Amino acid sequence: MLELTGRSWPSAGGLARRSFLKIGSVGLGAAGIGGLALPDLMAHRASAAAGSGKSAKNDTAVILFWMAGGPSQNDTFDPKPDASEIVRGPFKTIDTAVPGMRFSDQLPHLAKVADRLSVVRSIHHTHAVHDDASHWVQTGSPLLFAREQGQKQPAQGAVVSKLRGSCKEGVPPYVCIPEAYSSRRGFYQNAAFLGARHNPVAGGGDPKYGQYKLPEFSLPADLTFERIGDRRALSDSLNALSRQVDRHPAVAALDDTRSQAYDLVSGAAAREAFDLSREPDTLRDRYGRHFWGQSALLARRLVEAGVTFVTINLYEAEVDWWDDHSVIETGLRKRLPRFDQSLAALIADLQDRGLAERVLVGAFGEFGRSPKVDAKGGRGHWPGAMSAVLSGGGLRSGQVVGSTTADGGAPKDRPLSPGDLAATMYRVLGIDHEQFIHDAQNRPHRVLEQGKPIGELFG
């Protein structure tokens, strides 16, 4: 049996699945027809059916640092140094490479590359529950009681898979590192009505121990590519017979899936993209020898190889997630240095490699934190204001868009929504956010029902 990534992860629906790809014994079931047991997530191009609404191809890409739990705007990118201590929080502020733009003193590396950043400080919405807020920010669509209802709209990466596909053949369009979690609240990163073929590929790794584990692309000793070729020939014959008696769309869709899966296994592009050992030790050290740092380096390798959308889930058991209800100083002193190092290294590396203009890097969570530190030393959920950091992708940099009130609790000017943030990313990717995509019943759904690109970023 050939496996890519030997580790099993739960799917968004709670069913165990292999995180990448498996070639096993020949079978004729819906999941294993023709000898390929696939979780559908390797079918990375949109349906070839007429009217699929594909956008024009380009080579832009997105890397999203997903800060699940909700990072504090006052303690990161929208500090309030002149406010009272209960608002200001535990950290000092520092100058950045952009005059007048100040960050928390826990972000010295990002302060040095601030001229390559745009900080949007005035994003807000009305959903204070992790699941509801995450569904809104990751899909651009508001949904109450999201945990009970399940994901209703496709995540941005899934829309990209549908409308753009990968930038190069032989690699998937949409990857989540280490996976699209279902074990924590607030991860709505799957394809919903677009179907499992547009779910993200799991990039691998083990956040529990803060270590990155490479996907296993090697063949078992008794299985050669020649044998795989023989199995493919046999499965092609079986499928030709099957098509004569069963032309169900779900079965027909596996033809393209099988072909792409075989190409990934037999080709070098995907294997090489996931192989961090090809990077020099000095660069790996610069990113940080921790899960977030190595994930950021992996993301750069993936977009360089042709992946279109990569989400890095910034959760580790060692440092927890960004839901700082108590002792926010302790949590952020663990988390911010890793975040600062890995994000700044990625931004600089993309610039050095000539990729900054085509790769947009974003960092944000589902909401901000309350303006005042509470009696437990923490900050509660606060959708009234949040910050987002954007870099590259051809956007204007070295600027702040919008501002918040003196306590950081609400937009003071230029109020913006999660839909505006999503529309901005879609514009970078060449996707018309007002077009329609269709579900399995061919019912139309607008990519975004609300929101438009943030004009200040497109000077």
Side-chain angles (χ1 to χ4, degrees), residues 418-442:
D420 298 324
L421 189 58
T424 298
M425 291 191 286
Y426 285 136
R427 178 169 172 180
V428 169
L429 292 165
I431 292 175
D432 177 7
H433 68 280
E434 294 185 333
Q435 70 179 291
F436 289 92
I437 47 180
H438 295 77
D439 60 23
Q441 288 74 43
N442 205 34

Side-chain angles (χ1 to χ4, degrees), residues 9-60:
W9 300 92
S11 71
L15 300 176
R17 62 171 172 80
R18 285 294 178 183
S19 58
F20 208 141
L21 169 68
K22 179 167 61 179
I23 296 180
S25 58
V26 174
L28 290 176
I33 188 167
L36 290 175
L38 282 156
D40 288 330
L41 48 76
M42 291 314 305
H44 60 269
R45 288 184 297 179
S47 170
S52 63
K54 275 194 175 183
S55 296
K57 187 79 170 179
N58 64 34
D59 66 349
T60 52

